[in-house]
Amino acid sequence: MVAEQTPREGALTLNAVSGIGMLTVGMLGAPIIGAFQSKSQIEQLQASQDLAEVAPNTLLTDGKVDLPLRDETIYSVIDFQTVDMEEFQLAVENTDNPQQINTLVADLKTKGTQRALAKVIVFPVIMLTCYLILIFYFRTKGGYTPVVQEISLCEIKRSWSWEGLNCSKGKDF
């Protein structure tokens, strides 16, 4: 659509638009998804009754798991928290069943990641909605038609100062 709606700019505009999209996804999309995943993992771990039953008392507050958290920042804009696994491992290593706790934590973190990805589905749904709006917009205008730009060789000669083209009497040659 970009190439057909802006034919004079052509490949340059098409590459600029796609490049901006790729940079946005790479630089903002991945860190935002990571922050969602981290938040969802923390929620999953804190809500787990199974983990509360086997966790050491040093990690419990009012019968719920109180995880050691670490504040993180990406690009000085995206603030989020992660589980401080080193501190968590120090608290767990003196228990009777550290292997069971670590297995349970790994399972809960996986569930948390899956829940986060279920929330991230909002972005593709927004994109789908935008594309559907574009489809209906073009239908109301009578359908999608590319912009056709007529240019003669004489115009090329004038813009590029090409020698050898004869533009007399309205002819291109």
Side-chain angles (χ1 to χ4, degrees), residues 4-5 134-147:
E4 292 174 347
Q5 293 297 314
L134 276 174
I135 289 170
F136 291 121
Y137 169 74
F138 284 122
R139 281 194 182 167
T140 60
K141 289 180 62 179
Y144 176 78
T145 54
V147 174

Side-chain angles (χ1 to χ4, degrees), residues 20 22 43 45 60 66 76 86 91-92 106 122-123 125 139 150 154 162-163:
I20 290 169
M22 295 292 284
E43 290 171 356
L45 289 167
L60 296 176
D66 187 21
S76 301
E86 292 175 9
V92 169
V122 170
F123 297 118
V125 169
R139 281 194 182 167
E150 295 180 21
C154 290
W162 286 358
E163 299 297 327

Side-chain angles (χ1 to χ4, degrees), residues 19-37:
I20 290 169
M22 295 292 284
L23 286 172
T24 302
V25 167
M27 293 177 68
L28 292 177
I32 289 172
I33 291 172
F36 282 156
Q37 287 177 339

Side-chain angles (χ1 to χ4, degrees), residues 25-154:
V25 167
M27 293 177 68
L28 292 177
I32 289 172
I33 291 172
F36 282 156
Q37 287 177 339
S38 183
K39 181 180 178 186
S40 184
Q41 288 174 352
I42 291 169
E43 290 171 356
Q44 190 74 23
L45 289 167
Q46 288 175 335
S48 173
Q49 286 298 328
D50 294 336
L51 184 59
E53 291 173 5
V54 295
N57 291 334
T58 57
L59 293 177
L60 296 176
T61 303
D62 297 328
K64 292 190 175 188
V65 179
D66 187 21
L67 297 167
L69 301 177
R70 183 176 58 218
D71 292 329
E72 301 279 342
T73 301
I74 298 174
Y75 304 133
S76 301
V77 177
I78 303 169
D79 296 324
F80 64 101
Q81 291 183 316
T82 59
V83 177
D84 188 346
M85 290 308 290
E86 292 175 9
E87 191 175 330
F88 182 81
Q89 289 301 326
L90 288 174
V92 169
E93 71 183 13
N94 295 327
T95 62
D96 296 336
N97 50 1
Q99 187 66 23
Q100 178 188 3
I101 295 172
N102 287 331
T103 303
L104 182 59
V105 166
D107 290 342
L108 291 170
K109 286 177 82 173
T110 301
K111 287 180 186 176
T113 300
Q114 292 170 348
R115 285 188 178 193
L117 293 176
K119 292 176 185 175
V120 172
I121 193 73
V122 170
F123 297 118
V125 169
I126 291 171
M127 287 179 58
L128 173 65
T129 304
C130 291
Y131 284 123
L132 289 175
I133 289 170
L134 276 174
I135 289 170
F136 291 121
Y137 169 74
F138 284 122
R139 281 194 182 167
T140 60
K141 289 180 62 179
Y144 176 78
T145 54
V147 174
V148 177
Q149 186 170 4
E150 295 180 21
I151 187 167
S152 69
L153 291 176
C154 290

Side-chain angles (χ1 to χ4, degrees), residues 3-21:
E4 292 174 347
Q5 293 297 314
T6 57
R8 190 162 233 165
E9 292 80 14
L12 181 62
T13 303
L14 183 62
N15 288 327
V17 168
S18 61
I20 290 169

